[in-house]
Structures are given as C-alpha cells and as structure tokens.
C-alpha cells in the first residue's frame, strides 16, 4: 500500500485491485459513497497497453477531492483508526510530486497528496499529469486541492509548474 500511494507503484495498485475483486468493485464502492463522477474500467497494466484506454478511467477534480475529504474526515469510520493514520502519514511522506502541489509552497509546508501521470505518447501528448491533496496552513487550517492537467502538449516541467503555480495561488488565498 505504501509503495502504491507514496511512490505511485502501479504494480502495487494492480495487486490491490486483485485483492479486493477488481476495478469494478472499487468503482462501485466509490459510487456507493455518492461520488458518481468516477469510472475505473481498467487496471494499470491493461490501461497502459493501449493509450486511449486511459480516457475510460476518469474522474473530475471535484470527485477526487470529495473522495479525499470523505476519507480524511472519516466521519463514517470508512477506515479503522490505524488505517486512517497510515494513509495520511503515507500521503504526507509521498516521494512523488515534490514539484507539483508542493513545488511553490513555503518550505516545510505539510501536504498529504497523491500524484498521477500518464507519461507522453509518441506525439508528445501527455494525457494526464495530476496531483490532489490536502495542504496544511501554518495556523492549523487546511484546504483541499485537485489539479488535473489533461491532453497537454507542454513538457512535463511546464505541466508541473502549472500545478505548482495554481497551488501557490490557492495557498496565498487561504493563508490571507
């Protein structure tokens, strides 16, 4: 679980899908929570075999944030206390995306986040370069943020800067 969340290990993701019964079981669970703007058609290995399959696995930034908020607040005890703590500690220590949501924030800012990226195809198109998370302000407040860059012909560095710049604008807004 730690490798899947903190290091975006897609093999781990597929193992977890298999352990719980597959992508449709996960999708149905998310829909049961009232979050409908999510589709999970393929596991990672199947999705990566054919470029256009990634477009059948989709969500909206709002749906991703709603799911993140549901698990973070854990009001209905969707996660045990131990699992809840493990997930947030893992997301806070994520090794990926240091130049995405966290990229332009003040040093030491605590961010619990999960990145995602499709990579680029032969034509230089990046289908997805994403980061969703919770940003903790110095006064103890926090805000949720989801930035999904889609179908970009920009470089990976530009896509990451877009995410970092949006995150910094949100930081400035909520801090003040």
């Amino acid at each position: 679980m730690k490798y899947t969340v903190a290091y975006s290990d897609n093999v781990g993701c597929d193992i977890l899908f298999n352990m719980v019964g597959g992508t449709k079981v996960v999708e149905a669970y998310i829909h049961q929570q009232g979050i409908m703007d999510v589709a999970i058609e393929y596991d990672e290995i199947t999705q990566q075999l054919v470029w256009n399959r990634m477009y059948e696995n989709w969500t909206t930034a709002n749906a991703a944030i709603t799911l993140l908020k549901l698990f973070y607040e854990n009001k209905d005890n969707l996660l045990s206390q131990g699992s809840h703590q493990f997930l947030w500690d893992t997301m806070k220590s994520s090794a990926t995306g240091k130049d995405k949501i966290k990229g332009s924030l003040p040093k030491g800012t605590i961010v619990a986040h999960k990145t995602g990226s499709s990579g680029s195809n032969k034509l230089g198109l990046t289908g997805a370069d994403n980061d969703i998370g919770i940003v903790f302000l110095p006064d103890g407040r926090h805000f949720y943020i989801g930035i999904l860059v889609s179908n970009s012909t920009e470089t990976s560095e530009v896509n990451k800067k877009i995410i970092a710049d949006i995150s910094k604008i949100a930081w400035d807004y909520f801090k003040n």
Side-chain angles (χ1 to χ4, degrees):
M1 180 77 163
K2 185 171 186 172
Y3 283 105
T4 297
V5 174
Y7 301 101
S8 284
D9 183 322
N10 292 333
V11 173
C13 181
D14 284 350
I15 290 169
L16 292 171
F17 275 138
N18 288 334
M19 288 176 68
V20 299
T23 58
K24 297 319 265 180
V25 170
V26 175
E27 179 186 76
Y29 179 78
I30 293 169
H31 290 174
Q32 288 169 359
Q33 305 311 309
I35 303 167
M36 304 310 290
D37 288 340
V38 173
I40 309 171
E41 294 295 323
Y42 301 108
D43 62 12
E44 288 293 330
I45 189 93
T46 305
Q47 174 183 264
Q48 291 180 20
L49 291 172
V50 177
W51 176 265
N52 283 334
R53 284 184 184 153
M54 85 171 96
Y55 296 108
E56 295 178 56
N57 281 7
W58 62 270
T59 189
T60 63
N62 189 49
I65 289 170
T66 301
L67 186 62
L68 187 67
K69 184 176 182 182
L70 185 73
F71 282 111
Y72 181 69
E73 293 179 356
N74 205 28
K75 289 179 183 171
D76 295 325
N77 295 311
L78 296 171
L79 298 172
S80 69
Q81 186 59 35
S83 293
H84 184 265
Q85 191 63 53
F86 172 81
L87 178 61
W88 301 115
D89 288 345
T90 301
M91 288 180 72
K92 287 177 186 176
S93 69
S94 180
T96 63
K98 291 181 175 38
D99 45 4
K100 290 185 176 184
I101 287 176
K102 294 175 87 169
S104 294
L105 298 182
K107 187 176 175 116
T109 300
I110 297 171
V111 179
H113 67 119
K114 176 67 186 91
T115 62
S117 179
S118 66
S120 298
N121 68 12
K122 294 178 280 190
L123 302 174
L125 179 72
T126 300
D129 204 346
N130 308 323
D131 202 356
I132 66 164
I134 307 168
V135 177
F136 296 87
L137 298 164
D139 65 5
R141 293 177 302 138
H142 64 273
F143 65 91
Y144 299 90
I145 188 166
I147 306 164
L148 312 179
V149 178
S150 304
N151 293 328
S152 174
T153 55
E154 299 292 345
T155 65
S156 177
E157 290 72 28
V158 170
N159 291 337
K160 291 173 187 176
K161 184 164 178 4
I162 290 167
I163 293 170
D165 288 350
I166 293 170
S167 177
K168 180 64 165 83
I169 291 167
W171 167 272
D172 290 342
Y173 174 82
F174 286 111
K175 188 167 182 300
N176 297 320

